[in-house]
Amino acid sequence: MEYVEKIIDEKIQGKALVTEQKKENSKKLFIESYGCQMNMNDSEIVAAILDKEGYNTTQILEEADLVLVNTCSIREKAETTVRKRLQKYNAVKQVNKNMKVGVLGCMAERLKEKFLEEEKIVDLVVGPDAYKDLPNLLSEVNEGRDAVNVILSKEETYGDISPVRLNTNGVTAFVSITRGCDNMCTFCVVPFTRGRERSRDPKSILEEIQSMVDQNYKEITLLGQNVDSFLWFGGGLKKDFNKASEMAQATAVNFAQLLDMCATKFPKTRFRFATSNPQDISLDVIYAMAKHKNICKYLHLPVQSGSNNMLKAMNRQHTREEYIELIDHIFRIVPEMSLSQDMIVGFCGETEQDHQDTLELMKYVKYDFGFMFTYSERPGTLAAKKMVDDVPFAVKKRRLQEIIDLQQEHALYRTQQHLGKTEEFLIEGTSKKNPNEWKGRNTQNTVAVFDKGNYKLGDFVMVKVEDCTSATLKGTVVGYSDNN
């Protein structure tokens, strides 16, 4: 089951970035990223900063002057992978003595001492808010000193740096609108690694979207750890909003208004956004989605558990009942809405009844897509400090399987709703299974495959849906849509 801002997209993990090569750049940068789409987006920002310092990207590790790994702290697997990669870099470093190695991102913030002192492989450690400091940090390293900057900023949103677009299909693009998170979920390390929440100036967001539209991108995803709590009132941390002047408060822009601005200014561009949080999303956002055809009718609304006991233990700021009420409102305002979930299975203290509550909630909502994980303790989180990871692994595994099986059932039910309908799809690439077929996505984020015909990448086409699996629709193109 895939979707655009899949929390961890396995296909793009550890892929070396490729950017346009400039003749005047003499140094080579090898940069690979692990983790979420925010990390991939951050790597593009880093490439843009280093481009001005004379670096072209390379996919050949051995020829790099500078090797950077952009890291993630969300899951243990990502962390283990990064440690293995560092050993690989070290082997190359023995041969290429001038090569410098840096760790960027969330893991850098958490493990700075470890990287520099215990593992002598790393020359520089740069947290998610310090990428603009890279040129200074590199000159420190070149003078033979270790360089660290993991200071989390109240201001930094990288609004003034236009990211270099990498590994892209040329059709869909991501634009970061917020950084950090204020929700202290007990299982999550993000507030500690990415800092408190701050939003980016809407003007710079619209300018970046304009530049993407000028380059012929057809679909933009607005990204943030928690997009619904976007709030621009002149800069600074969201929690300081009540200290802002009356004027600043009165002219503030919230997420629903930002969505409305984007959709109105770019009527031919499709918009998506992720990730949403149940306690922060306002019905204004749903009304904005209903108002504009070009805002996709798809919402990633992580619930994590269907049990009130678990929601409380996770410090989610909503109850099961509030979540269900929100779902009812969503379907009332946008009946064709497609929904996806994140589910953590086997969190500290989860009983069989808690698990049944989750299954019941899923039956109520019938999500189109889902991302389901067994709980694994992350160092530095409140759960790791104060709770016992007491659900046996075998039990976690069984519960996860039950949740996956139910999700598959619902996914099939949802794809079947499209059968016989003619819907608009945006062509975004060639089908993985058949080179003669395009794959495209409809407003609900459901993928369809269909014969290529004379259509091309980036076209909006009308497809009659004739068949489906739980993940994919199959159909025949009947012509262009009126959006081209």
Side-chain angles (χ1 to χ4, degrees):
M1 287 170 222
E2 58 172 0
Y3 92 124
V4 70
E5 192 264 346
K6 182 167 180 183
I7 304 305
I8 308 280
D9 184 343
E10 302 299 349
K11 293 192 291 295
I12 52 177
Q13 299 300 304
K15 219 175 183 182
L17 294 184
V18 191
T19 55
E20 220 174 304
Q21 304 292 298
K22 290 196 181 156
K23 286 195 181 67
E24 64 275 21
N25 284 357
S26 57
K27 292 176 281 189
K28 297 222 185 295
L29 162 70
F30 179 92
I31 179 168
E32 50 183 37
S33 317
Y34 295 88
C36 66
Q37 191 59 54
M38 287 287 284
N39 265 12
M40 306 297 158
N41 196 255
D42 281 356
S43 293
E44 298 180 356
I45 288 169
V46 168
I49 292 169
L50 291 177
D51 171 56
K52 294 187 175 61
E53 299 295 311
Y55 285 89
N56 274 339
T57 52
T58 175
Q59 286 192 288
I60 303 161
L61 176 62
E62 288 67 19
E63 67 173 31
D65 300 292
L66 175 62
V67 175
L68 296 176
V69 57
N70 195 349
T71 61
C72 167
S73 273
I74 296 285
R75 279 165 55 199
E76 212 163 343
K77 186 179 164 194
E79 226 163 90
T80 317
T81 311
V82 168
R83 290 193 176 281
K84 284 204 185 101
R85 291 303 287 155
L86 286 173
Q87 286 160 6
K88 163 81 175 155
Y89 302 157
N90 202 24
V92 177
K93 221 175 168 183
Q94 302 309 317
V95 183
N96 179 359
K97 300 284 185 205
N98 295 326
M99 186 174 106
K100 300 289 182 254
V101 173
V103 177
L104 312 175
C106 295
M107 210 168 142
E109 151 62 26
R110 206 165 64 70
L111 298 176
K112 46 193 178 289
E113 285 87 7
K114 230 183 181 86
F115 279 136
L116 287 168
E117 286 149 31
E118 293 173 25
E119 310 186 20
K120 298 280 186 236
I121 311 159
V122 178
D123 302 291
L124 79 161
V125 179
V126 189
D129 288 347
Y131 299 142
K132 274 190 195 161
D133 200 25
L134 269 166
N136 307 332
L137 295 171
L138 284 171
S139 57
E140 289 276 310
V141 168
N142 292 334
E143 285 164 28
R145 292 190 288 275
D146 285 341
V148 188
N149 182 345
V150 290
I151 296 160
L152 290 170
S153 158
K154 294 184 178 184
E155 313 298 336
E156 191 55 82
T157 59
Y158 300 107
D160 56 343
I161 293 171
S162 189
V164 180
R165 298 291 146 189
L166 315 158
N167 296 344
T168 164
N169 57 13
V171 179
T172 57
F174 298 92
V175 171
S176 287
I177 64 165
T178 68
R179 293 183 79 81
C181 186
D182 284 350
N183 295 333
M184 295 288 175
C185 300
T186 54
F187 54 79
C188 184
V189 78
V190 163
F192 307 107
T193 58
R194 282 187 177 265
R196 298 302 293 261
E197 218 164 87
R198 59 251 180 240
S199 297
R200 188 175 153 188
D201 184 346
K203 190 164 150 286
S204 79
I205 295 169
L206 291 168
E207 281 166 6
E208 190 177 335
I209 295 170
Q210 182 67 64
S211 82
M212 311 294 352
V213 171
D214 293 345
Q215 293 169 60
N216 226 7
Y217 283 89
K218 300 296 174 72
E219 182 182 285
I220 307 285
T221 300
L222 304 175
L223 275 188
Q225 241 76 41
N226 183 6
V227 286
D228 302 292
S229 59
F230 176 89
L231 187 64
W232 172 258
F233 54 98
L237 296 181
K238 178 172 179 188
K239 69 181 182 64
D240 296 335
F241 176 67
N242 55 5
K243 296 179 196 158
S245 69
E246 272 181 49
M247 186 63 185
Q249 291 190 21
T251 55
V253 176
N254 67 20
F255 184 56
Q257 290 163 319
L258 178 72
L259 263 185
D260 191 60
M261 285 155 79
C262 292
T264 306
K265 186 169 179 189
F266 305 101
K268 293 281 189 194
T269 305
R270 255 194 196 179
F271 287 95
R272 299 188 186 279
F273 54 90
T275 293
S276 289
N277 250 327
Q279 71 267 29
D280 294 310
I281 193 164
S282 78
L283 292 185
D284 289 350
V285 170
I286 312 300
Y287 283 115
M289 294 173 86
K291 176 180 161 187
H292 295 280
K293 178 177 179 277
N294 59 329
I295 301 177
C296 290
K297 308 302 181 261
Y298 166 64
L299 200 51
H300 180 54
L301 203 58
V303 65
Q304 309 300 3
S305 171
S307 148
N308 277 336
N309 295 335
M310 289 298 95
L311 293 171
K312 195 169 179 203
M314 292 173 176
N315 196 31
R316 302 289 285 171
Q317 305 294 311
H318 62 85
T319 62
R320 170 196 176 88
E321 291 73 23
E322 285 164 341
Y323 187 86
I324 286 172
E325 191 185 338
L326 174 61
I327 296 293
D328 290 344
H329 283 310
I330 288 168
F331 283 133
R332 174 177 58 77
I333 301 163
V334 183
E336 72 276 27
M337 187 73 85
S338 144
L339 290 165
S340 62
Q341 44 86 344
D342 287 346
M343 221 51 99
I344 294 175
V345 180
F347 188 65
C348 311
E350 185 183 71
T351 64
E352 204 52 45
Q353 184 55 53
D354 295 326
H355 172 58
Q356 290 305 321
D357 286 351
T358 296
L359 294 173
E360 288 307 314
L361 178 81
M362 288 174 69
K363 287 174 191 165
Y364 186 83
V365 181
K366 295 188 174 59
Y367 294 98
D368 295 65
F369 316 96
F371 304 97
M372 299 141 290
F373 311 101
T374 53
Y375 171 66
S376 74
E377 200 172 78
R378 310 308 301 120
T381 59
L382 290 166
K385 290 176 191 160
K386 301 196 167 161
M387 299 179 184
V388 185
D389 181 4
D390 55 359
V391 179
F393 183 68
V395 174
K396 285 182 184 175
K397 222 171 151 186
R398 170 185 59 80
R399 288 178 187 169
L400 178 65
Q401 198 51 56
E402 287 175 15
I403 281 176
I404 289 171
D405 293 346
L406 185 59
Q407 180 53 50
Q408 287 285 56
E409 211 178 286
H410 293 159
L412 181 60
Y413 166 77
R414 289 295 183 192
T415 52
Q416 285 169 343
Q417 307 306 302
H418 298 277
L419 291 175
K421 293 180 181 167
T422 299
E423 300 175 345
E424 182 187 77
F425 286 81
L426 170 60
I427 298 177
E428 56 180 48
T430 297
S431 156
K432 285 198 280 276
K433 293 185 178 154
N434 182 346
N436 301 316
E437 289 182 334
W438 286 123
K439 69 166 181 164
R441 237 170 254 270
N442 65 5
T443 184
Q444 282 96 354
N445 206 32
T446 313
V447 172
V449 292
F450 39 86
D451 279 340
K452 283 190 169 174
N454 296 321
Y455 299 100
K456 58 186 193 307
L457 196 65
D459 282 347
F460 284 98
V461 291
M462 299 306 290
V463 175
K464 186 170 193 315
V465 180
E466 289 146 348
D467 196 6
C468 70
T469 65
S470 64
T472 314
L473 307 174
K474 199 161 172 48
T476 307
V477 183
V478 296
Y480 291 102
S481 89
D482 56 10
N483 202 34
N484 286 296

